[in-house]
Amino acid sequence: MSTDAALRPDTAPDPTPAPREPRLPWIAGRAPARPAPGAAFHSVSAATAALLGLVALGALIHEPVLIPPLAASAALVHCAPALPLAQPRSVIVGHLLGAAAGYAVAAVAAHGSAWAAALAAGITLALTTLARTPHSPACATAVVIVLQAPAPGRFVPLLFGATVLLVLTAFAASRIRRAAPRYPAYWW
């Protein structure tokens, strides 16, 4: 008798195909699932409304209030509200630490120096890490200050007010839609 499994009728090959592996498995990655259309619309429209509010406030007081780091902060608080980077403590204190680092570096370095701007961003990252207020857009705030040298008497109060406004709009937006994740996860 042959011991060849192919000749035995009780071990016939399974006709169902094996599940296909992705052609490029490294591209598939571990990204989170795509949000539901309603949730995505809510997050994006709330962030856009907050940014438009900053522009309206700037137009009202004749000062530029919307700066790129605040747009990044709005994206974080509205689209990833559970992250530590998006919590009020990190948003508000992080930007204020970034402003402090930016003004400190600008005081001792050449105005508009890209080297000084990079140093200010690194110092901001260190300060926010030590203060347990991680907020990556705060590093960009330091860069803006070194490269553009805004007057601190005007810039810092506007920055503080804008960050508080972003936090409050995220809080309100999370209460409007019943299925939205509650923001903040913690205040302080």
Side-chain angles (χ1 to χ4, degrees), residues 76-124:
L76 280 172
V77 299
H78 289 283
C79 296
L83 288 179
L85 293 130
Q87 301 314 307
R89 168 189 172 111
S90 293
V91 175
I92 297 168
V93 175
H95 278 291
L96 293 177
L97 288 172
Y103 284 116
V105 169
V108 297
H111 166 66
S113 164
W115 296 99
L119 179 63
I123 291 171
T124 300

Side-chain angles (χ1 to χ4, degrees), residues 159-177:
L159 178 68
F160 176 73
T163 57
V164 169
L165 183 65
L166 288 178
V167 166
L168 293 177
T169 59
F171 174 78
S174 75
R175 299 318 191 257
I176 291 172
R177 186 171 177 266

Side-chain angles (χ1 to χ4, degrees), residues 17-142:
R20 275 184 35 175
E21 292 291 323
R23 287 186 180 180
L24 302 172
W26 54 273
I27 286 181
R30 295 174 164 237
R34 189 172 281 122
F41 178 77
H42 175 75
S43 296
V44 170
S45 60
T48 304
L51 295 173
L52 290 171
L54 291 178
V55 171
L57 177 63
L60 186 67
I61 63 173
H62 306 291
E63 289 284 339
V65 177
L66 178 62
I67 58 173
L70 293 176
S73 294
L76 280 172
V77 299
H78 289 283
C79 296
L83 288 179
L85 293 130
Q87 301 314 307
R89 168 189 172 111
S90 293
V91 175
I92 297 168
V93 175
H95 278 291
L96 293 177
L97 288 172
Y103 284 116
V105 169
V108 297
H111 166 66
S113 164
W115 296 99
L119 179 63
I123 291 171
T124 300
L125 183 58
L127 290 174
T128 58
T129 300
L130 290 172
R132 297 179 315 134
T133 57
H135 192 65
S136 48
C139 296
T141 295

